[in-house]
Amino acid sequence: MPGRRLVFLLIFLVCAALLATAFYMEYVMLLEPCPLCWLQRMALMAVGAVALLAALHGPKGWGGRLYGLALAFFSILGTALAARQLWLQSLPEEQVPACGPSVDYLLEVMPLREVLSIAMRGTGDCAEVVWRFLGLSIPGWTAIFFVALALLGLAILFGAFRPKAAAY
């Protein structure tokens, strides 16, 4: 079984690849991210940052487990955000909230707390399905990755991927 440091590095690389895909979709495919998409990106950035710090630090014992806890926390947060967006996408058209201004505009005219509150509730933009792959929308795929990352974080927290004791 691979050591924690390698697992943390692989998690970081997965997060970097997912963020690169998100930016490709935004800047090349011209898919405008909704407020919930932005929050999911931030959760993914947090998971990637924790994984990179853990890979660089190479903690032993409880230090590695604390990194696993942080990974699980941010991944579960990302899963909840993706689930909220999937719920919005499942609503009948008459129940979908109104569309709102872009996140960039909201950040210019409102305090951060209000922007986060609006983003957490989601807007009509969040309910729009603009891309599918194998029948799943973007938040569906995001939820799958967040669940996998949360399970990895929990596995690390509960002692998986421990360095083996040296045999002398």
Side-chain angles (χ1 to χ4, degrees):
M1 194 175 276
R4 282 185 188 158
R5 188 173 244 173
L6 178 60
V7 171
F8 285 127
L9 179 62
L10 291 174
I11 291 170
F12 167 75
L13 293 173
V14 165
C15 290
L18 290 172
L19 286 167
T21 302
F23 289 120
Y24 176 84
M25 291 177 141
E26 180 178 357
Y27 294 108
V28 176
M29 296 173 64
L30 302 177
L31 301 178
E32 183 74 27
C34 72
L36 280 170
C37 291
W38 279 103
L39 291 177
Q40 289 170 66
R41 283 185 190 184
M42 285 186 235
L44 194 58
M45 286 177 198
V47 171
V50 167
L52 180 60
L53 285 173
L56 294 173
H57 179 210
K60 307 259 187 278
W62 277 99
R65 289 179 178 206
L66 288 175
Y67 280 117
L69 176 64
L71 278 174
F73 172 78
F74 289 118
S75 297
I76 291 168
L77 177 65
T79 302
L81 293 166
R84 172 77 176 158
Q85 188 169 2
L86 287 168
W87 177 76
L88 286 171
Q89 289 180 347
S90 73
L91 290 175
E93 194 171 320
E94 64 274 1
Q95 293 180 4
V96 171
C99 291
S102 72
V103 174
D104 294 332
Y105 176 77
L106 291 175
L107 287 170
E108 287 178 19
V109 299
M110 293 182 174
L112 183 59
R113 185 184 325 159
E114 286 184 47
V115 174
L116 288 174
S117 174
I118 290 169
M120 295 283 268
R121 285 192 308 268
T123 65
D125 301 330
C126 300
E128 186 180 351
V129 178
V130 295
W131 181 88
R132 286 188 187 274
F133 180 68
L134 297 177
L136 288 177
S137 63
I138 295 169
W141 285 105
T142 305
I144 288 171
F145 280 104
F146 274 127
V147 167
L149 292 168
L151 291 174
L152 270 172
L154 291 172
I156 293 167
L157 172 64
F158 293 111
F161 309 109
R162 282 185 288 213
K164 294 184 171 96
Y168 294 102

